[in-house]
Amino acid sequence: TVMEKVLQSNPILEAFGNARTLRNDNSSRFGKFIELGFSRSGSLLGAKVQTYLLEKVRLGFHASGERNYHIFYQLLRGATEDQKRLYNFHDGDTHGIELCNYFHYTGQGGAPTLREFTDEEGLGYTLKAMKSIWQEEKVSKVLALCAGLLHLGQVNFDSVENEGGQQVAAIAEGNAQNSLTFASDLLGVDMTMLKTALTERILVTRGEAITIQLAPEKASDSRDALTKTIYGALFLWVVQEVNQSILWEKDGDVRSSVGVLDIFGFECFAINSFEQLCINFTNEALQQQFNKFIFKMEQAEYEREEINWDFISFPDNQDCLDTIQSRPSGILAMLDDEARLGARGNDRNWADRLYKHFIPNKNQVESDNTRFSATPIEKSRSIFTIRHFAGPVKYTATTGFLEKNKDEIPVTAHNLFDFAESWLIKEIYAVQKKETEEGACAKSNGKPAKTKTVGQQFKEQLTQLMTKIETVEPHYIRCLKPNDAAKPNMMTRRRLTEQLRYGGVLEAVRVARMGFPVRMNHDLFFQEYRKL
């Protein structure tokens, strides 16, 4: 049934998009808006899923006590002996270490198990859901690609001297060579081209291609970047496949719809980077809409009571949104400009441009609108602070803002995907290109379509989301976790206050308090004060 198909889409999205964090065993590492379409009679016709900003950085690194995406652990712990042979998961190669701790991409955080269910059970749920929308062959191909990425993470590099006397990367002898072979077979790509994609970079200047041999540490970065590219494209393809399975047949049949937005909450860590800026930008936009909604309810209440409400001022955070998104002088716009400089652009230059624009005067530490600030010491470290509705957040510019925003696929990787034998690699690559290119096809002047930055894609998605929200009747659910230990009868005051602030609840209370803070219905008022 349609209902079953819609429900079965969730285990798939959770397997590929959720991970264990220090605070949550099943944390969504992407934003999701699911719209349910209903007929005139109220029957469910289908659904549509829109996703936002998958946390691809988790593919290459996750902290102690955390995990990579669930699908990898489900595959390693739940695979049958036949599947282990097929995916080259050989327990004998691990020297007694559990497979999840052996593989680089799954073992960095200690590969902890989940509290609610085992990874073996998780694989069962995931396979059942995948087989409800895909044929067995397609399921196997997707799992093989995930296994290929695990083997790709095992490829490490030795330093060798090239003809020019420079130390450059070469695939290490022994297990690394085997891992390269396994990865190319399971991914369905040419092994020589994969090796080139890992150890070389091609720069195209004035139509001329220059090949640069990478140093070992740069080759490791290249390996992780390739993994992020493939997995990010796979995730987009999975979402597209899910939508094709659950989408209603005709738009004209949909008479009403219910949308559920499950988006990332406000984030503030010891070190904050591009992902946190995008996430907090989203929360600023949603908070503004939330404030407007609360304000409208207040206004309606006063009009119903025939009370003058003109004195209530609306707390507007538009200046913070403008600081981040306005063109040409917003933070994201200047980041895009820096990306257009190519090899000349870098994170530190971008930070200097921000300082010159927002705090141009000598000894000035705060912008005129008070949203942007940086002390002399912070400037020397390329750090800047944005005062969000939930509080100030320090962002460190030199954490790869520029590269994360460009999210470019290297020329060597383009070649790898173009000539891949695997139909799945070709399909996910096509979905990735469609998502990132400004035009679906080449422009009329014959030039290829420009590639959109992550910031541009994100702003477009957010604009569409806000337009959608403003045309419907919203309802808000705020989830509060009493503690981080997942234990009953235990409440941590600081964590709860933090969640109330970050969830915009304290801001909503502030809106309400700008009017008359004490509210009583007439019957209660009469009972309380009748004696007077």
Side-chain angles (χ1 to χ4, degrees):
T1 65
V2 174
M3 176 69 80
E4 286 170 345
K5 277 189 176 181
V6 172
L7 290 173
Q8 288 294 347
S9 68
N10 198 54
I12 300 174
L13 294 175
E14 286 195 352
F16 287 90
N18 286 26
R20 175 191 156 118
T21 65
L22 292 176
R23 291 178 175 173
N24 189 345
D25 270 13
N26 193 30
S27 175
S28 296
R29 307 316 298 164
F30 66 102
K32 176 174 67 176
F33 179 68
I34 181 166
E35 186 176 6
L36 306 173
F38 296 91
S39 66
R40 189 187 297 274
S41 64
S43 300
L44 180 64
L45 295 173
K48 182 167 58 176
V49 178
Q50 169 74 57
T51 60
Y52 308 92
L53 202 73
L54 178 73
E55 186 190 35
K56 289 194 283 189
V57 70
R58 185 168 289 269
L59 270 298
F61 171 79
H62 56 275
S64 177
E66 297 199 348
R67 305 202 324 177
N68 210 320
Y69 290 103
H70 289 329
I71 188 64
F72 296 116
Y73 301 88
Q74 292 176 1
L75 196 54
L76 288 169
R77 287 182 171 142
T80 63
E81 290 305 316
D82 287 342
Q83 286 174 319
K84 285 183 178 180
R85 280 192 291 274
L86 182 64
Y87 302 140
N88 295 298
F89 295 157
H90 303 306
D91 294 286
D93 294 340
T94 67
H95 305 292
I97 301 172
E98 190 210 5
L99 282 168
C100 286
N101 276 300
Y102 171 72
F103 280 95
H104 174 64
Y105 284 153
T106 52
Q108 296 171 40
T113 55
L114 304 178
R115 298 180 188 95
E116 295 298 319
F117 57 87
T118 66
D119 290 307
E120 292 86 346
E121 291 170 338
L123 182 64
Y125 302 142
T126 303
L127 286 177
K128 181 183 177 185
M130 290 170 79
K131 288 173 182 176
S132 71
I133 65 168
W134 294 326
Q135 297 293 327
E136 187 77 43
E137 181 200 351
K138 193 175 273 193
V139 173
S140 297
K141 201 73 176 173
V142 171
L143 295 180
L145 190 144
C146 294
L149 293 179
L150 288 172
H151 285 293
L152 186 59
Q154 297 304 98
V155 178
N156 45 45
F157 307 91
D158 285 335
S159 181
V160 297
E161 192 173 296
N162 66 3
E163 293 175 0
Q166 295 174 310
Q167 293 297 313
V168 298
I171 307 294
E173 294 297 325
N175 287 339
Q177 294 283 353
N178 293 335
S179 295
L180 183 71
T181 304
F182 297 153
S184 65
D185 288 345
L186 290 163
L187 295 173
V189 296
D190 180 79
M191 188 167 76
T192 304
M193 295 184 83
L194 177 58
K195 183 179 177 181
T196 301
L198 295 175
T199 57
E200 295 178 6
R201 188 174 71 204
I202 297 175
L203 283 180
V204 180
T205 55
R206 297 175 186 173
E208 188 177 338
I210 303 168
T211 301
I212 299 171
Q213 291 179 295
L214 300 176
E217 61 274 12
K218 292 291 183 184
S220 294
D221 292 342
S222 178
R223 176 200 66 200
D224 292 344
L226 183 61
T227 301
K228 292 174 200 171
T229 297
I230 295 173
Y231 193 83
L234 174 66
F235 184 74
L236 291 174
W237 177 85
V238 166
V239 173
Q240 179 180 283
E241 290 282 307
V242 165
N243 275 330
Q244 287 174 359
S245 169
I246 65 176
L247 188 63
W248 48 79
E249 291 182 6
K250 298 177 184 174
D251 287 344
D253 293 340
V254 178
R255 288 291 179 266
S256 61
S257 65
V258 174
V260 180
L261 178 66
D262 178 10
I263 204 89
F264 7 65
F266 187 84
E267 290 189 351
C268 181
F269 301 127
I271 297 174
N272 298 286
S273 189
F274 178 70
E275 297 88 355
Q276 281 69 50
L277 180 62
C278 289
I279 286 168
N280 294 341
F281 170 41
T282 306
N283 280 273
E284 283 286 352
L286 290 170
Q287 186 63 34
Q288 185 188 54
Q289 200 279 332
F290 182 52
N291 285 354
K292 283 180 183 175
F293 177 71
I294 296 291
F295 184 69
K296 281 179 184 173
M297 287 203 308
E298 288 289 292
Q299 181 180 328
E301 177 78 15
Y302 288 162
E303 286 178 348
R304 192 162 52 247
E305 296 279 343
E306 297 181 358
I307 298 172
N308 174 31
W309 54 271
D310 293 341
F311 67 93
I312 304 177
S313 60
F314 168 58
D316 194 6
N317 61 340
Q318 186 61 47
D319 57 342
C320 186
L321 288 169
D322 290 341
T323 299
I324 298 170
Q325 72 175 356
S326 66
R327 300 196 68 86
S329 54
I331 291 170
L332 289 177
M334 284 196 266
L335 185 61
D336 288 342
D337 290 342
E338 194 69 23
R340 292 190 191 97
L341 295 176
R344 291 178 294 131
N346 62 62
D347 291 333
R348 194 169 285 278
N349 287 349
W350 169 64
D352 289 341
R353 290 182 64 193
L354 294 181
Y355 301 143
K356 285 175 186 173
H357 176 75
F358 288 109
I359 43 177
N361 302 323
K362 190 178 180 182
N363 299 325
Q364 185 180 1
V365 296
E366 190 175 69
S367 62
D368 294 340
N369 68 2
T370 73
R371 292 292 186 175
F372 182 98
S373 64
T375 65
I377 292 175
E378 287 172 343
K379 283 183 181 179
S380 69
R381 297 172 181 168
S382 297
I383 293 171
F384 60 91
T385 299
I386 299 176
R387 184 172 61 81
H388 292 284
F389 72 92
V393 178
K394 290 184 193 294
Y395 297 94
T396 306
T398 50
T399 51
F401 265 82
L402 204 62
E403 287 303 314
K404 290 172 182 177
N405 186 42
K406 288 193 289 188
D407 197 26
E408 286 181 326
I409 302 176
V411 175
T412 49
H414 276 295
N415 295 339
L416 180 71
F417 300 149
D418 280 334
F419 295 99
E421 296 174 12
S422 166
W423 60 263
L424 180 57
I425 286 286
K426 288 182 181 294
E427 279 196 19
I428 68 172
Y429 180 46
V431 173
Q432 173 83 5
K433 284 204 292 186
K434 183 182 174 184
E435 183 83 6
T436 56
E437 286 181 354
E438 288 186 7
C441 55
K443 295 185 177 177
S444 56
N445 60 11
K447 292 182 181 179
K450 289 183 180 178
T451 301
K452 290 183 284 191
T453 63
V454 174
Q456 286 173 325
Q457 294 173 55
F458 195 64
K459 278 196 287 185
E460 285 176 15
Q461 288 182 323
L462 186 57
T463 300
Q464 292 167 4
L465 176 64
M466 298 313 298
T467 303
K468 182 81 177 174
I469 289 175
E470 285 173 9
T471 60
V472 299
E473 182 184 342
H475 298 265
Y476 295 89
I477 300 170
R478 295 287 189 252
C479 300
L480 299 177
K481 285 185 67 180
N483 62 76
D484 290 334
K487 290 183 178 178
N489 305 318
M490 179 179 162
M491 194 170 286
T492 309
R493 178 190 287 263
R494 184 177 174 183
R495 283 288 292 121
L496 280 171
T497 307
E498 189 180 77
Q499 290 173 81
L500 288 169
R501 183 181 296 112
Y502 290 178
V505 177
L506 299 185
E507 184 82 351
V509 171
R510 194 162 70 87
V511 175
R513 287 180 63 186
M514 286 179 174
F516 293 104
V518 179
R519 291 125 200 271
M520 273 188 193
N521 63 43
H522 290 112
D523 290 342
L524 183 59
F525 179 83
F526 180 70
Q527 287 176 17
E528 286 283 325
Y529 298 104
R530 62 186 297 181
K531 292 176 183 177
L532 298 177

